Amino acid sequence: MSAHENNIEYTRKDLPENFRRLGLLLAVVGLLIAVTGYFIDPVRSAFNNVMLLMFLASIGVGSLFLVALEYVAGAVWSTPFRRVSEFLAATLLILPIVAIPLFFNMHELFHWTHTEVVETDYLLKSKSSYLNTTFFIIRSIVYLVIWILFFVLITKNSKKQDESGDQILTKRNITLSAIFMPLFALTVTFSSIDWLMSLEPHWFSTIFGVYYFSGTVLAALAAATMFIIILNEKGYFVKGLNRDHYYSLGALLFAFTNFWAYIAFSQFLLIYYANLPEETFWYLARWEGTWLYYSVGLIFIRFLVPYFGLLSQPSKMNPRRLLFMSVWILFAHIYDLYWIIMPTMSKEGVSFNWFEIGYPLLAFGLIITIFNLKAKKNNLVAIRDPKLKRGLDFRL
Amino acid sequence: MSDKTLYGYTGLFDTPDEIINAANTVADKGYTRYDVNTPYPVHGMDKAMKLRPSKLGYAALAFGLSGLLSFFVLLYWMLVIDYPLVIGGKPFFAFPAFIPVLFEVLVLSASVATVITMITVYFKFPNISHPLHDTPYMKNVSVDKYGICIEAADEKFNESEVKSFLAELGAKDIAPVYFEEVDEEIKILEPKFIGLLVLVAVIVSGGTYFSLNKLMFMIPFNWMMQQEKIIAQDNKSLFADDFAMRQPVRGTIARGTMPYKYAGNPDAAGENLKNPLLPTVGNLELGKKKYNIYCSPCHGNYGEGDSRLKGQFPNPPSLHSDKARTWTDGRIYHAITEGQNVMPAYTSQLDPEERWAVIHYVRALQRSLNAKESDLE
């Protein structure tokens, strides 16, 4: 084992200064615009905040899922850059703060909080044992606690291994990850139902949790790919990361793009074919007026462009192309969330207010800043992970 | 050994790292006709052997797209042009409903055609043998060894050189592989093959017979037929009188129907009923169509009582008889509505308007054999 460890040369370097500046700049500018927006149009801001929350939750819990997946599946190819996903999962730590505006704007956001409406509405009344303010807040806290708890436990073990090199820590993380997996499935499903689907409380789709999950994994993969390519091309990782690793990341992005399309189409087809008025109205709202153009745009932005962009083998190995596609997919996730959330607010058609641009900026700024803060204190590579050497030797 | 030709030299290695290294070196030396056999796909082998990306993907693309396109044309032809059916209240060209089918056909045609292409182009089907088959070498690389085989067909092949080269690489069990050239014709009519075909036929047809005629009536498959639903004319005691259907409420009639006033009273029908339709081209064509469908099997195409049923059913009298010609339209209408002798009632096949249209057509047929002077003008 020691002979293997000697082969790995790694010295921690601070991330580039302009990287840190870019993160702070985006976060501050985004935050200023978002706060200004709150005074202009509080309702629109509240809806945009849901989008920000769901986006950051995607990055955070999706990255934690990727880390847990590596442990559970015993994967080695992703070990050299597992830390990137661990850093990104730290987004979970600020989720409670991002979620606070949600609880203060529940009356504007969620129709089911209007008790006088629920009294006269048969459907909402039947759902009120689940969809009520107290239970909603309890559930939200449970999701956040589970996510943060597992984030802390898993990353703590991983960090400890950098010093001790103890293999038992890997074993412990495998157990933790195995426990986390079913909890992840449940919390992601229910959080998407609570925070996204209940915006339109009459509507229901049993596949919605999977739909959000597909976007979550895509966003987490894209964010990880983005950081890996930027940093590896500048030599921040250990030597040995090459095109084969890039190819695998690209292949996963490609696979989950297809998975998203499969799930999104399944949801649409079943509702289209059953033609039940309590289900179709959700799509109808997105199929009328200017939302139609937005919905057609979703097919192109979320599916066709990444599909053809990542289809061929060389495109998955070309760092610049892969970097472009990963940033594209991150924006596509925001576009998708906007498509789910905003028609509830502006039913007449797409209406864009200038301050909404602040939310994507804030999201990117926060991710980069959190990554920077984590990278300052931790190694970018899990240097004494027993799987690291094999991960570096990974070839297609 | 004189009748055998040298195929190549084989060598075995113990670890995947060694075989990668060996493949790398062999490729660097400039050999082109060689192959590596491993118990499982070894990562990094493509690169070590300096293989170019496989062209099989293009075949998959071509076959997949042509399958997709032809199936789209088929679907469009069936569902939109040739036999449009309203399904689930959707438009004939319901594109979302096409997508799953087209996707499946794309995958199916691409995968099946790719496998067939691979077998025919790369493995030269129907040739199913290979010199390496049934050698100790193949037995080893199928279990836990990693082997390399340099073929004699290679331009740089030199028996002693290859032998020492393989030894240099650290290969074990270096051995030559020979093969016999045999011009064997493919025999399709071999008894074994015929026997196999017969066996397959018996199993498939027996299985089909069993599942369609026996299995469906066994527990639990027969539970499919026991359904808790009421079928019309079933006596499932839905109502107190053990019937599943109800008589219409007394004194009411269904929408769009009119009760027949002259039931059992042909004379009154003949006297009182008048044909409400005019003998227009449209009505005559409707009458001709319905006559040819429902009346002509017995009455004949021209009403001469020459049935097409060839004695399976008694022939009716000719419609050109004096009796039939002197009947009023109302009397004929009564015969169609209530039936006559062996002729059943045609109320469920022909609605009142169609019956009157048929009568116009019958009149036209009668006039064709017994024309009046005025018809010739």
Side-chain angles (χ1 to χ4, degrees):
Chain A
M1 206 63 231
S2 57
H4 275 180
E5 278 171 25
N6 289 341
N7 290 340
I8 292 157
E9 290 170 26
Y10 173 75
T11 41
R12 196 202 306 169
K13 289 185 272 185
D14 276 343
L15 296 192
E17 179 63 15
N18 50 13
F19 205 61
R20 193 180 65 85
R21 278 204 208 123
L22 175 73
L24 272 179
L25 182 75
L26 285 176
V28 169
V29 170
L31 190 65
L32 280 179
I33 297 176
V35 169
T36 321
Y38 186 74
F39 291 106
I40 297 170
D41 191 345
V43 176
R44 184 173 283 275
S45 295
F47 275 94
N48 270 287
N49 186 66
V50 176
M51 187 191 79
L52 181 69
L53 172 70
M54 293 318 282
F55 181 73
L56 291 179
S58 289
I59 301 286
V61 77
S63 299
L64 190 56
F65 167 74
L66 292 178
V67 173
L69 189 65
E70 189 203 299
Y71 277 116
V72 171
V76 292
W77 69 276
S78 56
T79 308
F81 45 80
R82 191 190 63 228
R83 275 291 150 78
V84 172
S85 290
E86 283 180 25
F87 292 176
L88 285 170
T91 316
L92 289 171
L93 296 175
I94 60 155
L95 270 197
I97 304 166
V98 184
I100 285 171
L102 181 84
F103 300 116
F104 282 102
N105 292 300
M106 277 180 74
H107 194 75
E108 279 76 39
L109 289 172
F110 300 111
H111 193 55
W112 50 264
T113 53
H114 301 205
T115 39
E116 71 286 351
V117 179
V118 173
E119 276 308 308
T120 54
D121 193 314
Y122 177 76
L123 259 180
L124 294 189
K125 209 174 172 185
S126 321
K127 291 180 181 182
S128 62
S129 56
Y130 181 84
L131 282 181
N132 58 65
T133 317
T134 327
F135 194 24
F136 179 86
I137 293 173
I138 294 173
R139 284 197 308 270
S140 302
I141 292 170
V142 168
Y143 309 144
L144 293 171
V145 165
I146 290 177
W147 293 344
I148 291 173
L149 177 75
F150 276 91
F151 164 72
V152 170
L153 290 174
I154 292 176
T155 49
K156 205 178 75 186
N157 280 340
S158 172
K159 195 182 171 186
K160 228 192 269 172
Q161 203 172 39
D162 274 8
E163 285 142 30
S164 67
D166 199 351
Q167 294 201 18
I168 198 83
L169 293 167
T170 299
K171 219 162 201 180
R172 264 185 218 151
N173 264 357
I174 291 173
T175 318
L176 280 173
S177 304
I179 301 169
F180 174 67
M181 279 299 177
L183 290 173
F184 167 79
L186 290 174
T187 48
V188 160
T189 307
F190 281 99
S191 64
S192 66
I193 289 172
D194 286 350
W195 295 341
L196 281 181
M197 207 166 100
S198 80
L199 289 169
E200 207 61 91
H202 287 106
W203 187 66
F204 50 89
S205 164
T206 45
I207 209 171
F208 194 79
V210 186
Y211 181 91
Y212 179 67
F213 162 75
S214 66
T216 294
V217 178
L218 257 182
L221 271 172
T225 311
M226 184 177 82
F227 281 107
I228 290 163
I229 293 175
I230 291 174
L231 296 176
N232 189 43
E233 293 298 306
K234 290 185 177 162
Y236 278 83
F237 286 97
V238 277
K239 276 214 172 67
L241 274 188
N242 56 30
R243 298 293 154 93
D244 298 322
H245 295 92
Y246 284 179
Y247 176 84
S248 301
L249 284 167
L252 270 178
L253 280 174
F254 181 72
F256 271 91
T257 296
N258 282 310
F259 182 63
W260 177 87
Y262 188 86
I263 297 301
F265 179 72
S266 301
Q267 176 173 288
F268 171 75
L269 185 73
L270 287 194
I271 289 174
Y272 165 85
Y273 232 80
N275 212 4
L276 301 174
E278 62 265 38
E279 291 177 349
T280 47
F281 80 93
W282 195 84
Y283 276 102
L284 215 54
R286 284 150 183 80
W287 205 250
E288 279 173 349
T290 38
W291 282 113
L292 174 63
Y293 304 110
Y294 196 93
S295 302
V296 174
L298 183 71
I299 301 171
F300 281 88
I301 290 175
R302 195 82 158 111
F303 176 57
L304 291 176
V305 171
Y307 180 85
F308 287 106
L310 290 170
L311 183 60
S312 73
Q313 196 188 31
S315 68
K316 297 187 192 88
M317 296 188 169
N318 180 343
R320 291 186 60 185
R321 175 86 76 94
L322 198 54
L323 181 64
F324 174 76
M325 280 335 298
S326 59
V327 176
W328 178 284
I329 287 171
L330 279 175
F331 274 108
H333 188 48
I334 293 179
Y335 188 92
D336 186 14
L337 288 171
Y338 197 85
W339 179 76
I340 293 171
I341 293 165
M342 292 316 275
T344 309
M345 200 207 93
S346 50
K347 289 191 166 56
E348 309 75 39
V350 188
S351 60
F352 191 76
N353 209 326
W354 65 270
F355 66 78
E356 289 180 75
I357 202 79
Y359 286 89
L361 294 183
L362 181 57
F364 273 80
L366 283 174
I367 293 168
I368 297 174
T369 308
I370 290 168
F371 192 90
N372 262 316
L373 289 174
K374 284 301 252 182
K376 214 167 233 176
K377 281 186 255 158
N378 299 287
N379 290 331
L380 195 56
V381 179
I383 39 168
R384 296 181 77 177
D385 192 296
K387 295 190 291 186
L388 181 60
K389 184 74 181 72
R390 280 199 287 154
L392 288 171
D393 286 340
F394 168 75
R395 295 291 176 272
L396 283 176
Chain B
M1 287 285 188
S2 58
D3 56 332
K4 292 187 171 181
T5 328
L6 183 67
Y7 174 73
Y9 263 85
T10 61
L12 292 172
F13 296 89
D14 286 330
T15 65
D17 286 349
E18 280 175 311
I19 192 73
I20 291 260
N21 178 41
N24 226 337
T25 324
V26 171
D28 281 343
K29 273 242 173 178
Y31 289 102
T32 49
R33 302 285 305 262
Y34 70 98
D35 207 355
V36 171
N37 303 89
T38 56
Y40 58 86
V42 174
H43 286 298
M45 187 53 80
D46 290 20
K47 216 176 179 180
M49 289 174 73
K50 299 193 172 48
L51 294 178
R52 272 170 297 158
S54 167
K55 291 194 176 62
L56 207 52
Y58 295 104
L61 183 73
F63 285 121
L65 284 185
S66 48
L68 177 90
L69 209 68
S70 49
F71 208 77
F72 179 80
V73 172
L74 175 71
L75 275 182
Y76 195 86
W77 166 254
M78 290 191 311
L79 295 171
V80 183
I81 296 169
D82 189 42
Y83 208 88
L85 268 182
V86 177
I87 302 168
K90 300 284 181 280
F92 295 129
F93 181 53
F95 186 62
F98 281 28
I99 289 178
V101 186
L102 291 178
F103 172 71
E104 299 292 341
V105 169
L106 168 81
V107 173
L108 180 76
S109 49
S111 51
V112 171
T114 308
V115 170
I116 292 173
T117 311
M118 187 179 75
I119 290 175
T120 46
V121 174
Y122 289 91
F123 302 156
K124 315 253 182 303
F125 186 81
N127 173 25
I128 50 166
S129 89
H130 193 276
L132 286 180
H133 286 173
D134 296 328
T135 56
Y137 168 79
M138 189 46 78
K139 262 176 211 156
N140 276 315
V141 297
S142 310
V143 184
D144 60 349
K145 292 280 189 284
Y146 307 82
I148 193 162
C149 171
I150 299 176
E151 290 172 29
D154 196 293
E155 280 172 20
K156 292 189 69 189
F157 188 85
N158 178 308
E159 205 168 338
S160 55
E161 223 173 78
V162 165
K163 230 186 208 171
S164 59
F165 175 48
L166 280 174
E168 222 172 278
L169 282 171
K172 289 165 197 148
D173 301 331
I174 301 164
V177 173
Y178 297 95
F179 69 108
E180 282 175 76
E181 289 222 35
V182 271
D183 294 323
E184 221 178 326
E185 274 183 44
I186 301 152
K187 283 179 274 178
I188 288 191
L189 291 175
E190 217 174 321
K192 259 189 201 167
F193 184 64
I194 300 282
L196 182 76
L197 284 188
V198 170
L199 191 71
V200 168
V202 166
I203 289 173
V204 169
S205 52
T208 312
Y209 175 81
F210 177 74
S211 57
L212 288 182
N213 293 299
K214 301 283 175 232
L215 198 70
M216 274 170 63
F217 303 102
M218 288 177 186
I219 293 172
F221 303 103
N222 59 356
W223 294 350
M224 293 272 281
M225 284 181 261
Q226 299 166 8
Q227 297 189 6
E228 290 302 314
K229 68 177 182 187
I230 308 284
I231 302 170
Q233 300 174 7
D234 208 1
N235 57 342
K236 275 270 175 68
S237 62
L238 176 67
F239 295 108
D241 59 359
D242 281 356
F243 281 105
M245 292 170 82
R246 297 279 76 187
Q247 292 284 344
V249 177
R250 204 176 288 274
T252 61
I253 54 167
R255 275 170 190 254
T257 61
M258 190 50 86
Y260 185 55
K261 268 196 273 184
Y262 305 103
N265 199 350
D267 296 333
E271 268 173 45
N272 297 323
L273 281 175
K274 296 278 173 301
N275 195 336
L277 300 185
L278 291 174
T280 58
V281 176
N283 283 331
L284 280 170
E285 271 174 1
L286 175 67
K288 181 180 180 184
K289 189 176 164 192
K290 294 294 167 185
Y291 179 90
N292 284 339
I293 294 171
Y294 294 112
C295 314
S296 71
C298 294
H299 286 286
N301 282 334
Y302 301 105
E304 291 172 316
D306 48 342
S307 101
R308 296 201 293 274
L309 301 176
K310 296 185 175 152
Q312 292 178 37
F313 207 72
N315 280 4
S318 167
L319 292 177
H320 300 284
S321 66
D322 285 343
K323 184 180 157 200
R325 275 190 292 132
T326 51
W327 271 7
T328 61
D329 285 359
R331 185 66 186 78
I332 301 177
Y333 184 85
H334 184 85
I336 302 175
T337 308
E338 295 224 308
Q340 186 166 337
N341 302 333
V342 288
M343 171 175 162
Y346 274 81
T347 41
S348 58
Q349 289 92 337
L350 298 167
D351 66 27
E353 196 189 319
E354 288 165 350
R355 280 172 238 164
W356 289 117
V358 166
I359 291 164
H360 272 311
Y361 183 66
V362 170
R363 290 290 185 221
L365 286 179
Q366 290 172 341
R367 286 271 282 282
S368 67
L369 285 190
N370 294 284
K372 293 174 193 165
E373 286 288 323
S374 56
D375 292 341
L376 296 171
E377 288 169 8

